[in-house]
Amino acid sequence: MTTPEKIRCDACPVMCYIAPGQTGACDRYANDAGRIIRTDPVVLLSKTLTEGGRIVLFAARDWQAEPFPSDTRVTGIGSGTTYPDYKPAPFIIASEIDGADMVTVVTEAIFSYCGVKVKIDTDRFLGPEGATVRAGSEAVGHVTTAEYGSQMLSLGGVHHLTGGEKAEGRVTCATLLALCNGEAVELTIDQGSTVTVQAGHAPIVDGRPENRMRVGCGSATIGMFADQWRGLVDEVVVVDDHITGVVSEHQAGKVLGWEDTGIKILGRRSTPGRYFRVSEPGLGWGGTTIRDPLDILGPWNPKKGARAGLRLLMVSTTGEEFAYYELDDALTPQPKPIPEALLPSVKLIDENCEPSLCTVLFMGGAGGSLRAGVTQNPVRLTRSVQARTTRLTAGGAECYVWPGGGITFMVDVTKLPPGAFGYVPTPALVAPLEFTLPRTDYLAMGGHAAAIKSLPEMLAQGGEYPTGVRLIPQKAPLK
């Protein structure tokens, strides 16, 4: 009895030998009775399709009529790659958009030079800037700068994918793939927190789900809500890791005629009413280590307005933490129930805070292989994308293209259909890309003219590897 022969797949540099009925290492290509087939269907988007999705036989022999709405767009999801580099992209589709003859070049790009930028809406301390971010025990990225109400992580990149030990590369690839496909990933930060990240969902920091991102820094909160507090309280301190605000000293308070209170803040004074470094970063009030807000207060000065009965509100930048005090005869703040009249102002801070979410942006540099699949003169594609003559999308979603050399782009992974990203065990991520431009410009840049097909021709003839076609509603409308 002869053993069925394995056949070699050349869709990526791994070059798997695949036994009959089995898939390659990436699970994206399989051996079907001696031929390589694509296991995932090519994804087509339509604004007309409002619910559900359907799979139809691709390149069917008895295919006769257009089974799709007229606004159907072909995406790179499931299309296959241009590897090895000499051949045209899997699909080069001619279409008419608003009366103009256009061409869309569709491919799945293999990215060793890629990563994700993660925005985590929280004031909680995640870790020091530059600290290593780990998935399990493997380094997969680092903490970058804190932005307004958010912490930023940079994950992946070629050095983590290919520059370390094999385990580091495998774990980095698996982490990026999960994040790009909308799955939850637990990350630990050296000298910091454990955070669960999932695109479009609230972060979980050290087991605690975050609900709100701050309305602003302490100073901005004073500026926004000082008028709400006038006449109800004598002093307000908005506690914040970055800029703690004091209403009586702040310009907003001065404009409103706020009287001095003799308060002393234990921090580094910046400008009037604005204090830095009142505490170390942490998981307490306003992203500090503070559990008792009175810890940031020094002795009150009666020569500058401190008096018995002075009313003090201390609140965080999200309104989640607040406390009310009155000074006793020794000018020591004593906790009191917050007056009903003050509660609406605290709730207003809460109301103005947006929900905390995690944002995951896939970022990649489009290299020679996929550009050669578009044109025989790849630099012309780069120049065309930079000049905005060629429109770049990923799975139908808008991309931001960085200025400067090359085609370096970012895309919000929540704008792509589910399961849009794949991988190859080199290790590298696989992402869908579409290049759309006028047909005359495509031909002028040295595009693969002989490979251009209409949508009906594509549906009837299929691509290099047999597969199916999936039609789904368009999540990110093409403009």
Side-chain angles (χ1 to χ4, degrees):
M1 181 177 180
T2 59
T3 302
E5 290 188 3
K6 296 181 179 181
I7 57 176
R8 194 168 196 176
C9 172
D10 67 352
C12 86
V14 176
M15 306 286 283
C16 294
Y17 283 98
I18 307 175
Q22 301 297 312
T23 61
C26 65
D27 293 325
R28 300 165 61 242
Y29 296 88
N31 180 345
D32 179 30
R35 64 176 182 173
I36 296 294
I37 64 167
R38 202 53 186 87
T39 57
D40 298 323
V42 179
V43 173
L44 278 62
L45 301 178
S46 170
K47 292 187 229 179
T48 302
L49 188 66
T50 56
E51 59 182 54
R54 56 194 176 103
I55 295 180
V56 300
L57 190 60
F58 194 28
R61 294 179 181 176
D62 58 352
W63 185 88
Q64 294 179 348
E66 168 71 54
F68 299 108
S70 59
D71 65 350
T72 297
R73 297 286 184 268
V74 183
T75 77
I77 304 171
S79 66
T81 70
T82 58
Y83 191 85
D85 303 351
Y86 65 84
K87 60 187 179 184
F91 300 107
I92 303 176
I93 310 300
S95 63
E96 184 176 297
I97 301 176
D98 296 331
D101 289 330
M102 306 292 286
V103 169
T104 299
V105 182
V106 173
T107 188
E108 285 181 304
I110 300 173
F111 286 98
S112 296
Y113 291 84
C114 73
V116 297
K117 307 304 177 190
V118 181
K119 173 177 172 282
I120 301 172
D121 297 335
T122 180
D123 272 341
R124 312 300 170 192
F125 178 64
L126 299 185
E129 189 171 314
T132 297
V133 178
R134 300 182 187 275
S137 61
E138 299 297 334
V140 299
H142 64 275
V143 178
T144 66
T145 54
E147 307 302 345
Y148 206 63
S150 305
Q151 307 289 306
M152 315 295 283
L153 307 180
S154 180
L155 307 180
V158 69
H159 294 297
H160 286 294
L161 283 168
T162 67
E165 300 296 328
K166 287 185 177 180
E168 180 181 347
R170 287 195 300 267
V171 171
T172 298
C173 187
T175 300
L176 297 180
L177 180 63
L179 287 171
C180 288
N181 281 334
E183 300 172 18
V185 172
E186 184 177 275
L187 303 169
T188 58
I189 299 171
D190 289 359
Q191 306 173 59
S193 300
T194 296
V195 56
T196 300
V197 175
Q198 185 175 13
H201 291 73
I204 301 173
V205 181
D206 289 337
R208 171 183 169 175
E210 290 292 283
N211 296 314
R212 305 169 187 83
M213 66 181 298
R214 64 179 180 170
V215 65
C217 69
S219 172
T221 306
I222 292 288
M224 285 186 279
F225 301 112
D227 191 46
Q228 306 287 328
W229 295 314
R230 184 69 176 133
L232 300 179
V233 67
D234 301 306
E235 184 66 277
V236 180
V237 177
V238 183
V239 182
D240 179 25
D241 170 39
H242 304 124
I243 307 174
T244 290
V246 179
V247 70
S248 66
E249 300 176 2
H250 196 279
Q251 182 64 15
K254 294 302 183 184
V255 170
L256 293 171
W258 220 283
E259 297 177 0
D260 291 339
T261 64
I263 193 170
K264 179 177 177 60
I265 301 293
L266 302 178
R268 181 161 64 86
R269 189 172 186 262
S270 170
T271 55
R274 303 169 77 247
Y275 290 84
F276 301 159
R277 303 275 320 230
V278 299
S279 169
E280 295 300 315
L283 302 179
W285 280 53
T288 69
T289 59
I290 295 168
R291 300 298 178 185
D292 182 354
L294 296 180
D295 290 345
I296 69 171
L297 299 186
W300 293 71
N301 188 344
K303 295 181 179 180
K304 294 186 177 181
R307 66 187 187 281
L310 187 144
R311 301 164 296 172
L312 167 67
L313 173 67
M314 301 190 78
V315 65
S316 70
T317 50
T318 61
E320 293 175 278
E321 297 94 0
F322 58 89
Y324 175 76
Y325 307 88
E326 292 181 6
L327 298 192
D328 61 16
D329 291 340
L331 302 184
T332 300
Q334 299 297 332
K336 301 284 185 179
I338 186 169
E340 287 292 325
L342 273 179
L343 285 175
S345 67
V346 174
K347 291 179 180 177
L348 189 61
I349 296 176
D350 186 323
E351 181 184 334
N352 276 269
C353 294
E354 297 181 68
S356 291
L357 294 176
C358 297
T359 302
V360 177
L361 299 182
F362 172 79
M363 183 170 174
S369 57
L370 72 90
R371 289 185 296 155
V374 179
T375 170
Q376 297 174 3
N377 194 344
V379 72
R380 292 185 179 178
L381 175 64
T382 302
R383 293 168 180 166
S384 181
V385 170
Q386 290 289 354
R388 303 297 190 265
T389 300
T390 294
R391 183 169 174 272
L392 177 64
T393 53
E398 291 281 358
C399 294
Y400 172 77
V401 179
W402 285 68
I407 304 175
T408 304
F409 69 95
M410 297 190 301
V411 63
D412 180 352
V413 302
T414 64
K415 303 300 184 183
L416 280 75
F421 292 83
Y423 82 103
V424 293
T426 49
L429 246 58
V430 177
L433 287 183
E434 304 90 36
F435 299 88
T436 302
L437 69 162
R439 183 177 184 131
T440 53
D441 290 300
Y442 181 66
L443 297 178
M445 73 164 57
H448 301 286
I452 298 175
K453 299 178 182 178
S454 65
L455 181 59
E457 288 173 332
M458 169 197 155
L459 295 169
Q461 298 170 20
E464 182 176 0
Y465 303 105
T467 185
V469 168
R470 182 161 61 107
L471 178 66
I472 65 173
Q474 185 169 303
K475 195 171 183 179
L478 296 175
K479 298 178 181 179

